[in-house]
Amino acid sequence: MKKYYIGLSVTYHDPGLAIVDDNGEVLFAEATERYLQSKRAINCEPDQLNWISDVLDSYCSFPCELVIATNWRKKRPHYERLISGLGLLTAKGLLKKDLKKLRSPLENYKLHHMIACQHSSYLKTGLNLVRRLKEFHPDCPVSFLDFDHHLTHAAMASYSSPFSNAACAVIDSYGENGSMAFYRYHHGKLDRIHETRGVGSLGFFYMKITELCGFDWLKGEEWKVMGLAAYGKLDQKLYDLLKDTLAVDGFDFAVQPQHFFDLLEALNAYQQKEKDALKKAADLAFTGQYFFAELMTQILNHLKAVTGEDNLVLAGGCALNSSYNGQITERTGFKQAHIPSAPADDGTALGAAWLAYHRKPIKSDKPPQLLTPYLGSRISNEAINRLIQYNRSLDIRHLPDSLCEETAQLLASGAIVGWVQDRAEFGPRSLGNRSILADPRGSGMKDTINQHIKFREYFRPFAPSVLHEYGPEYFENYQESPYMDKTLTIKPTMRERIAATAHVDGTGRLQTVKEHWNPRFYRLISHFHALTGVPVLLNTSFNVMGKPLIHSLEDAVSVFLTTGLDALVIDDYLITKPHDRIH
């Protein structure tokens, strides 16, 4: 009987679901936010009741055996059990005063809310999945496994990498016992070197910086800090304050024990509330990012010294900091760095599934290879056929043989195109299958997309998707960035050529595009290159601010009709608005 390993990320934020078969192949992996169209899907189950049956029927062949694996240990940490017993993980509990303050940059009620949500989320693990199995496949054998949270991060990063050997760092906000864990990865085995304990957390401090800038980390707005930082400069007083508050000690964080709350009060004085907050927040963002990079460098250099490895795999929420990721090989002793397409908690669904699979003896001579990120849902043919049948307003052309050529011509003429192909990306970034694309040559394109497509702040940058063979021509110290995971410096001579993707500090969070990774996207950029001489397209996620990447055809058409997009491509179909035809 065939066996499938279903991984569930049951974290209260960024839940996800993954399916691995009994050969270790990834059949499906997707964040729940896509199906729900709710950013981060906070307090939502990964196995949505009205969705899970479709996923099972699409990727599992019944009769079969299922192993359900989760990304948190069933046995909860002592502190969580203690405060749960005291009633602090309830709405009334959050209102309690006169509690001993934790040495964390986040207030007690925020930490307890996170723990309460996580506690509740874990209790619902697999309920919807098993409910549907009992209904449709009552004889299906089911077993359950639970894994250490940071180990699932490490598995996602290591098993998705092209490395046989690597040092692994998980740098997060928190796990069962602390915020970080470190491993040696050797031919499919993960051996833990060290795990931190306590509330010292680089993730928490970045969340605090996000708050001080006037942004909301619950909405995932740490991205805004990275974008805004390029407009600021170092605030020496703030830097000294941060340095006094948190420091690295080997693999651990040293938190100032005696004057922590005085330092925290001084830090809170930087909170931005005025109308011109963004101007003042830029220095705060720059200083916070500068401090983050400094601590990350110290941690990773220590890991390098302990392991002696040349390869690094990095996971956890802090691995989403692409501004730093591009500096790793320059600032540390590591020669290569791999960050998975989904380094945050949605990715731990796949990590848990893989850990369950690797519990059995595995004999495989297959060399490690980079995992494709195109593991999510498809737009159904039925949905496309319905659009064709009932549409009365849009021009729809079927162009299976000339789609890339015609789309490239639209882009070269200044059109902004929604581009939807095959399976969705696993992870937060659009990589050429759920993308909004545009000509990168004119600097005004950045403002046009921010104002009329994304409806977001002026300081938010866009990514250059570059054909791999031209990467060294456009970027200093070029290194592959398959998942748009690294920010590199654009060569000064090239910044005007791709001005819409050059951030104010001359950098770009690039996506490396290779033909065997994504043939159609590669072909599209190649045709654009032939027309313009530029082997780069501006690429941003197919959504509007505050929403996740589009999931269904209806989502795509809704964004198309309610924004300034000029054209929409769905698989082989080119769709335009007839009142504003582009020739």
Side-chain angles (χ1 to χ4, degrees), residues 191-209:
D191 296 314
R192 190 172 68 190
I193 300 170
H194 183 79
E195 181 183 32
T196 62
R197 293 182 176 272
V199 294
S201 167
L202 187 53
F204 282 164
F205 265 84
Y206 209 90
M207 290 155 72
K208 185 65 176 180
I209 293 295

Side-chain angles (χ1 to χ4, degrees), residues 242-302:
L242 290 170
K243 201 169 183 179
D244 287 342
T245 306
L246 186 69
V248 171
D249 181 13
F251 280 132
D252 290 300
F253 287 120
V255 178
Q256 169 62 260
Q258 295 181 339
H259 305 292
F260 178 84
F261 296 109
D262 292 334
L263 294 168
L264 185 59
E265 186 176 344
L267 190 61
N268 286 334
Y270 281 83
Q271 178 74 46
Q272 300 301 304
K273 296 179 181 179
E274 304 85 0
K275 290 183 179 179
D276 63 343
L278 285 181
K279 295 180 181 178
K280 296 181 180 179
D283 290 349
L284 174 59
F286 179 94
T287 306
Q289 177 67 27
Y290 183 91
F291 180 67
F292 173 90
E294 192 173 72
L295 294 191
M296 284 285 288
T297 299
Q298 293 175 37
I299 294 166
L300 295 181
N301 273 327
H302 184 69

Side-chain angles (χ1 to χ4, degrees), residues 34 374 425 427-436 463 465 483-484 509 511 521 539-542 549:
R34 304 290 178 80
Y374 309 110
E425 299 89 339
R429 290 160 181 137
S430 58
L431 301 171
N433 278 16
R434 299 293 184 275
S435 293
I436 292 173
S465 291
Y483 308 132
M484 209 182 283
R509 189 187 72 199
Q511 176 199 2
F521 192 41
N539 182 3
T540 187
S541 54
F542 197 158
L549 285 171

Side-chain angles (χ1 to χ4, degrees), residues 449-506:
I449 297 178
N450 272 332
Q451 292 174 17
H452 302 294
I453 310 291
K454 305 286 282 190
F455 309 116
R456 65 184 195 178
E457 300 89 349
Y458 70 89
F459 58 82
R460 306 284 296 276
F462 295 106
S465 291
V466 59
L467 300 181
H468 170 60
E469 52 268 37
Y470 294 93
E473 185 178 323
Y474 277 78
F475 296 91
E476 294 181 0
N477 301 312
Y478 173 73
Q479 51 187 300
E480 293 182 17
S481 181
Y483 308 132
M484 209 182 283
D485 51 283
K486 301 178 184 74
T487 296
L488 302 181
T489 298
I490 301 170
K491 289 185 175 180
T493 55
M494 293 297 180
R495 290 174 192 173
E496 286 300 316
R497 298 194 74 187
I498 54 171
T501 63
H503 204 23
V504 68
D505 60 354

Side-chain angles (χ1 to χ4, degrees), residues 11-235:
T11 307
Y12 81 96
H13 61 84
D14 301 304
L17 183 147
I19 303 176
V20 170
D21 70 11
D22 50 14
N23 293 314
E25 297 298 323
V26 184
L27 304 180
F28 178 82
E30 191 163 83
T32 313
E33 68 170 17
R34 304 290 178 80
Y35 169 75
L36 294 177
Q37 281 297 287
S38 175
K39 188 70 173 176
R40 305 197 78 194
I42 291 178
N43 291 328
C44 297
E45 304 94 336
D47 51 335
Q48 288 291 302
L49 191 62
N50 294 323
W51 177 56
I52 188 62
S53 293
D54 291 339
V55 174
L56 291 175
D57 290 343
S58 297
Y59 298 100
C60 299
S61 298
F62 290 90
C64 64
E65 179 182 351
L66 296 182
V67 179
I68 300 174
T70 54
N71 66 325
W72 290 88
R73 281 291 186 194
K74 183 177 180 180
K75 183 178 180 181
R76 308 309 302 145
H78 174 71
Y79 180 76
E80 181 178 322
R81 287 181 276 130
L82 174 64
I83 61 174
S84 178
L86 293 174
L88 298 181
L89 301 186
T90 64
K92 288 184 178 179
L94 294 187
L95 293 172
K96 289 187 178 181
K97 300 179 180 179
D98 302 322
L99 297 173
K100 182 180 179 181
K101 292 183 179 180
L102 298 170
R103 286 192 175 90
S104 166
L106 303 181
E107 295 91 332
N108 279 23
Y109 79 89
K110 293 179 180 178
L111 292 172
H112 289 166
H113 174 263
M114 295 167 68
I115 296 171
C117 290
Q118 184 56 53
H119 186 80
S120 174
S121 179
Y122 188 85
L123 293 176
K124 295 184 288 183
T125 294
L127 278 175
N128 293 331
L129 174 54
V130 172
R131 164 71 171 77
R132 287 308 195 195
L133 288 173
K134 290 289 287 183
E135 183 173 5
F136 297 112
H137 306 285
D139 298 324
C140 178
V142 181
S143 57
F144 296 86
L145 293 171
D146 56 281
F147 295 100
D148 176 86
H149 181 63
H150 284 152
L151 182 61
T152 61
H153 273 301
M156 169 55 178
S158 299
Y159 296 138
S160 68
S161 77
F163 306 140
S164 297
N165 299 281
C168 176
V170 178
I171 304 178
D172 211 3
S173 57
Y174 74 102
E176 273 85 2
N177 299 301
S179 66
M180 297 189 296
F182 304 91
Y183 303 83
R184 280 190 178 90
Y185 176 65
H186 178 71
H187 292 285
K189 293 183 179 180
L190 279 163
D191 296 314
R192 190 172 68 190
I193 300 170
H194 183 79
E195 181 183 32
T196 62
R197 293 182 176 272
V199 294
S201 167
L202 187 53
F204 282 164
F205 265 84
Y206 209 90
M207 290 155 72
K208 185 65 176 180
I209 293 295
T210 303
E211 284 186 350
L212 295 179
C213 288
F215 307 139
D216 187 347
W217 50 262
L218 273 175
K219 296 179 180 178
E221 293 185 340
E222 291 93 338
W223 306 104
K224 295 186 180 182
V225 178
M226 284 182 272
L228 187 59
Y231 290 82
K233 60 183 184 301
L234 186 71
D235 182 323

Side-chain angles (χ1 to χ4, degrees), residues 31 133 311 332 392 400 405 434 467:
L133 288 173
N311 301 321
T332 74
R392 294 294 183 270
E405 294 92 324
R434 299 293 184 275
L467 300 181

